Amino acid sequence: MSTDISTLLPPKVRRKTRIGLVAGGLGAYWPQFPQLLPQLQESTRYVVDRFEKMDGEVIDVGFVSDAQEAAVAAETLRRADCDLIVMFITTYLTSSMVLPIAQRAGVPVLVIDLQPTLTMDHATFGTGEWLAYCGQCSIPEIGNVFRRAGIPFRSVSGYLEQDSAWERIGRWIRAADVRAALRHARHGLMGHVYPGMLDVSTDLTLLPATFGSHVEVLEFDDLRVRVEKVTDQETAARMDLARQIFTLDDSVVDDDFAWGARVSVGLDRLVDDFDLDSLAYYHRGLDGEQHERLGAGMILGASLLTARGIPATGEYELRTTVAQLVTQVVGAGGSFCEIQALNFEDNVVEMGHDGPAHLAVSSREPLLRGLGIYHGKRGYGVSVEFDVRHGPVTLLGLGQDRDGSLAFVASEGVVVPGPLLAIGNTTSRVDFDRDPGEWVDEWSGTGIGHHWSLSLGHRAADYRAAANLLGIDFRQV
């Protein structure tokens, strides 16, 4: 896209992810090898500096040398309400120094051990120099104790300036970003479930119980009263904004465009008034009454909200809206998606959806197309159309099992060029490097619903790490 969406649509500002950081080593070494502690503290400063350059809030509680100091650090971290705690193992230490932090803070812990360089200088090193490289010695011990204590174990081993080690650490930080977003998210749910879509139905207690999120139940009247207060000047300004972002097809009717813009302004007020991080909606309506017109006029405003990082999705798809929020938080966009058709000649799955779309995944300036009828829905108006950017993509959906538990379900593919429908939908041709029918069979057997988020890049590793921190299953096709 030529237009920088972020300059026109400022992204939503959320609470920063809080990363607790504590370093440690065995205090018995300090009097024996006086140069060791200063070296380890220098390594710790490097680690702290790397974390502070990440987009989050770092709560650094310093260096601990015994179990008593670790207990004090644990209490500080508990009060800090962290989203992830990182324990930097600088040299060997006993597991009794780490366990209190994991237990008392009640927060997922990542253990990292990063030796100073790629390898020791064996010809010149003595015991004191070697001890700066033996943090790895503690890792199996910590893993054993965590398992016996019922605490999930995560670790990254490497050396201080190893890019691949920091990429693995970064993956856990992105996972913490997801955990933070979902812990504090306020999901709006407006209207009612699309009749007959049993897979879409979600127990509203499930999200707060699983993630800590809040679900705000809204009425379409909450939107109606706000739309009624939108002025003609505000509507005209929203139309001008839309013209900067979209190409308007000749099929767009001016009155429908103006109505979509008016509803968009009302939607912004609804989201602001209820401090929403996402919105799922649907209303069937009848004979063109006001609520039907509101439901039909949502697409423009919902797409603009989604572009700001506030996923707004039709068909009452609460779980998919959560998946879109996850893909948004890791920086991969995420557009509402379902299977449209299979192309066995080109070996691709054609997918997309009508209605709101995530403009960040578009390969070109998105199009507003006028539709006299919405297939499967009542009403008429403007809809968003584009093809998804070519290259690697990852699907992420939120599956639900018989016992009510949730799972992240993901699949990596590549969007490839080729013919697409021009019917006011987002569309893409995804190559999963296998027979498309076989892919559909395996994908459908995971517990996924018939909607998901389509995100840019191969991000399954990020979503797997997020599922780990959230304590839910992860399934990949």
Side-chain angles (χ1 to χ4, degrees), residues 320-375:
T320 298
T321 311
V322 173
Q324 288 179 266
L325 180 58
V326 171
T327 59
Q328 172 72 38
V329 166
V330 302
S335 203
F336 193 43
C337 205
E338 68 184 1
I339 298 169
Q340 294 177 321
L342 304 183
N343 186 324
F344 291 95
E345 183 175 288
D346 297 337
N347 223 40
V348 297
V349 180
E350 298 184 30
M351 59 179 64
H353 209 283
D354 63 327
H358 199 312
L359 307 183
V361 307
S362 178
S363 66
R364 55 182 169 83
E365 189 165 271
L367 179 78
L368 276 185
R369 183 181 294 279
L371 296 178
I373 186 172
Y374 294 149
H375 72 274

Side-chain angles (χ1 to χ4, degrees), residues 112-134:
I112 65 172
D113 58 282
L114 305 173
Q115 64 185 40
T117 61
L118 284 81
T119 185
M120 293 185 294
D121 184 349
H122 297 81
T124 62
F125 273 24
T127 302
E129 292 80 9
W130 155 64
L131 286 173
Y133 285 73
C134 77

Side-chain angles (χ1 to χ4, degrees), residues 189 199-207 317-319 400 406:
L189 194 58
D199 64 319
V200 168
S201 176
T202 301
D203 175 5
L204 300 191
T205 307
L206 198 56
L207 294 188
E317 248 295 11
L318 176 59
R319 293 202 313 278
Q400 185 172 352
L406 297 173

Side-chain angles (χ1 to χ4, degrees), residues 232-251:
D232 292 342
Q233 291 79 8
E234 290 170 327
T235 299
R238 185 54 51 96
M239 294 171 75
D240 289 340
L241 173 65
R243 290 188 186 98
Q244 296 181 66
I245 296 172
F246 297 91
T247 297
L248 269 64
D249 187 73
D250 292 340
S251 59

